[in-house]
Amino acid sequence: MTTIAYVNGTYEKIENAKVSIMDRGLLFADGVYEVAGVYNGVIIDNESHILRLQRSLNEIKLILPIKLDELFLVQKKLIEINKLKEGTLYFHVTRGIGQSREFEFPEDQSPSLIMFVHHKQIMDLPLYRLKAKVMTLPDLRWKRRDIKSIALLPQVLAKQVAHENNCNEVWMYEDGFITEGGSSNAFIIKNNKLISRKNNEKILSGTTRQAVLKLLELEGLSFDERPFTIEEAYNADEAFYTSASVFVMPVISIDNKVINNGMPGKLTLKLRNLYENFAKSSIKKEK
Ligand code: PDD
């Protein structure tokens, strides 16, 4: 089935959907993006994605080219015309076209909004697909990782190295501490306590992370918001990473050091289950 993409007010077959070679997203990675999970045709935790998008836009002095109500309609329409039941929705906003390749913002900015979907199973995965291998690599990114920038070259290169080493995700480190995953937030569990570093400019404030921490609180489970070292990660009882497209993903090895005998951890699976229920219930509310 052909996928239909949204490009600045028009709906096009993905192979025909195009932006200008002068788009500042292409020339400078001058833009921000979101990836949201979709289940039963409804966006999971859309409110958190929109809030983060607005924050990212604000931080780079960009405005959404359409009203929020219109954005919701576009999201809905795109999901409908693509008959997307389960998968992800990608949307990004760039500073649009500049007359020439000037670094400074164009005088009359006309931001560009594109959106497309990806069909993929994200819910109720079988156990054998919940065994992620992780590799650690230095974090080579800029100092404003709280902005969900489309400049992803450090993550592209790091995730490629991880892939070539038979790993599913990279955990990046800086000054001996894990910052986060290439496209996820990193967590470890030690002595029944969850450890995850605080939100600040060093990491992206994950929507899934935020939901998981809330669920943890509701369950009365304890967590410590602090950075953890690579060594601590190797010696963790359990480890996992979170994102809108993988939810809560159990980690079974880090740099080939086996975690929890190579099995998804008990508490990790409980959190995954809680998150799946949260996702399903947020969908019921939307419908
Ligand atoms: N990435 N940290 C980074 C660097 C990320 O790129 C992501 C998400 C996250 C998790 O955020 P959330 O829980 O809101 O998905 C953390 C998306 C999925 C991507 O780039 O494909």
Side-chain angles (χ1 to χ4, degrees):
M1 195 178 89
T2 320
T3 309
I4 306 291
Y6 170 88
V7 186
N8 294 314
T10 62
Y11 293 85
E12 322 239 8
K13 283 185 182 166
I14 202 141
E15 58 270 30
N16 300 333
K18 293 192 171 52
V19 292
S20 162
I21 62 158
M22 295 310 285
D23 188 284
R24 292 176 60 95
L26 181 65
L27 297 177
F28 299 113
D30 186 357
V32 292
Y33 78 108
E34 280 299 324
V35 179
V38 174
Y39 185 69
N40 266 354
V42 179
I43 302 170
I44 300 163
D45 209 2
N46 200 20
E47 200 185 327
S48 297
H49 288 285
I50 297 296
L51 274 175
R52 188 173 61 191
L53 178 69
Q54 285 177 317
R55 183 182 180 280
S56 293
L57 286 168
N58 202 37
E59 292 299 310
I60 68 161
K61 301 183 170 60
L62 199 53
I63 49 162
L64 198 60
I66 57 176
K67 290 199 184 83
L68 213 48
D69 284 355
E70 289 174 70
L71 180 78
F72 292 141
L73 290 177
V74 174
Q75 288 182 323
K76 226 175 159 178
K77 184 165 173 187
L78 203 64
I79 288 170
E80 272 168 23
I81 53 180
N82 282 294
K83 298 187 173 55
L84 180 68
K85 289 279 167 255
E86 191 171 351
T88 54
L89 176 72
Y90 174 91
F91 43 116
H92 87 196
V93 183
T94 73
R95 209 173 305 278
I97 299 169
Q99 284 308 310
S100 58
R101 194 181 159 275
E102 295 294 336
F103 281 67
E104 298 78 15
F105 300 171
E107 290 281 316
D108 47 348
Q109 290 188 47
S110 178
S112 165
L113 169 67
I114 67 164
M115 207 181 284
F116 54 82
V117 302
H118 181 53
H119 295 260
K120 181 183 161 191
Q121 189 187 354
I122 54 175
M123 195 79 77
D124 303 317
L125 296 182
L127 200 63
Y128 78 91
R129 287 181 60 189
L130 298 175
K131 292 181 176 184
K133 293 180 178 171
V134 158
M135 178 182 186
T136 63
L137 282 171
D139 195 333
L140 302 178
R141 298 174 300 161
W142 71 330
K143 293 180 180 164
R144 288 300 309 277
R145 301 157 191 164
D146 54 313
I147 299 171
K148 200 159 171 57
S149 157
I150 60 170
L152 294 170
L153 191 55
Q155 289 102 306
V156 166
L157 297 176
K159 283 177 83 95
Q160 178 60 23
V161 174
H163 175 69
E164 286 165 8
N165 283 277
N166 255 327
C167 288
N168 308 85
E169 177 61 306
V170 60
W171 277 11
M172 300 175 288
Y173 59 83
E174 190 172 63
D175 305 324
F177 293 95
I178 302 293
T179 51
E180 60 184 326
S183 56
S184 59
N185 290 114
F187 300 76
I188 56 168
I189 297 171
K190 190 75 187 173
N191 300 328
N192 287 318
K193 190 177 252 184
L194 187 127
I195 305 165
S196 142
R197 71 185 298 157
K198 261 198 183 91
N199 278 334
N200 56 27
E201 295 182 354
K202 286 188 181 286
I203 61 164
L204 183 78
S205 162
T207 58
T208 322
R209 176 188 181 279
Q210 185 185 306
V212 163
L213 290 189
K214 243 186 239 160
L215 293 167
L216 207 76
E217 233 174 346
L218 289 176
E219 287 292 304
L221 298 165
S222 59
F223 64 91
D224 204 354
E225 272 194 300
R226 64 161 178 87
F228 55 87
T229 63
I230 303 173
E231 207 58 42
E232 277 185 285
Y234 292 161
N235 293 309
D237 298 332
E238 300 182 28
F240 66 93
Y241 55 87
T242 61
S243 84
S245 53
V246 301
F247 295 177
V248 173
M249 180 55 70
V251 171
I252 58 154
S253 74
I254 302 170
D255 293 338
N256 291 324
K257 292 180 177 61
V258 175
I259 308 292
N260 194 44
N261 297 317
M263 290 302 290
K266 233 167 117 183
L267 191 51
T268 303
L269 287 178
K270 178 174 181 171
L271 286 173
R272 182 174 177 94
N273 197 258
L274 287 171
Y275 184 80
E276 288 199 356
N277 289 339
F278 156 80
K280 285 173 183 166
S281 67
S282 74
I283 279 160
K284 270 189 214 132
K285 265 186 247 151
E286 280 280 322
K287 279 229 161 171

